[in-house]
Amino acid sequence: MGDDSTPSPVNSVEAIGPVLGRIPSGLSILTARDGQENETGMLASWVQQASFDPPVITIAVQNKRYLNDWLTEGTHVAVCLLSESNGQYLKHFGKGFEPGEPAFDGLDIARSPAGLPVLTDTLGYLEGRISGKMEPGDHIVYSVEITAASIGPLLESEKPFVHIRKNGLGY
């Protein structure tokens, strides 16, 4: 006997998209550099803790971004965690940057232990080295073992910037 309040499963994009889109994700700025002096940043909405010991996060990057060429095993990256008041970074980093285009002009930044640019007015940042990757579809998912972190000025006073999509099948 079925419960009339339980919806029947529907195997269609019309059902999958809206439900998938309701999975909340925090917004962050991923910073990285190539083997030279080039550095960039991008808005990252698919960052998730994956392990306690050692501390590991995963970061998904669309497979068409040139940044994937920089993200090789052993490369250091930083993730600056945005607060609800950091909305100015959505427009700045949301459009993406071309190779060689300055991503941090006019922004207050500091340097992580590995020398990566990190935003100074966020919840804080995590820095780590890429320890693996997988390619499940239109994004590449990197595992990043955390090697350093810094608490930002907003960590205790503000909430993380959380994003929820209307449809989980596209940006």
Side-chain angles (χ1 to χ4, degrees):
M1 293 188 187
D3 180 353
D4 289 338
S5 65
T6 303
S8 300
V10 178
N11 296 326
S12 71
V13 242
E14 290 81 22
I16 294 169
V19 177
L20 187 60
R22 294 315 188 275
I23 296 174
S25 59
L27 294 178
S28 302
I29 303 301
L30 171 66
T31 69
R33 66 172 176 240
D34 65 4
Q36 314 303 311
E37 295 183 19
N38 298 308
E39 53 191 23
T40 195
M42 65 164 263
L43 181 63
S45 62
W46 292 352
V47 176
Q48 187 65 47
Q49 184 173 353
S51 173
F52 290 123
D53 187 19
V56 173
I57 60 173
T58 58
I59 303 169
V61 178
Q62 188 176 44
N63 60 13
K64 294 179 182 164
R65 287 189 178 258
Y66 74 89
L67 181 60
N68 289 300
D69 295 336
W70 298 8
L71 302 179
T72 59
E73 194 157 333
T75 300
H76 279 82
V77 296
V79 176
C80 303
L81 305 173
L82 299 182
S83 75
E84 290 178 335
S85 70
N86 288 144
Q88 74 275 20
Y89 294 126
L90 302 185
K91 184 174 182 182
H92 182 86
F93 288 99
K95 66 176 178 63
F97 296 93
E98 295 299 320
E101 185 180 359
F104 302 99
D105 282 359
L107 302 179
D108 289 329
I109 63 166
R111 295 283 167 179
S112 70
L116 292 163
V118 290
L119 301 168
T120 59
D121 62 343
T122 62
L123 298 175
Y125 73 84
L126 299 167
E127 178 182 76
R129 62 171 190 75
I130 295 176
S131 57
K133 73 176 185 176
M134 65 181 217
E135 300 182 39
D138 59 7
H139 282 66
I140 299 173
V141 180
Y142 297 93
S143 60
V144 178
E145 187 171 340
I146 304 304
T147 57
S150 180
I151 295 171
L154 304 178
L155 184 68
E156 297 299 326
S157 62
E158 294 203 22
K159 294 179 181 178
F161 199 129
V162 176
H163 178 61
I164 299 175
R165 293 178 178 82
K166 289 184 180 179
N167 187 326
L169 300 177
Y171 290 115

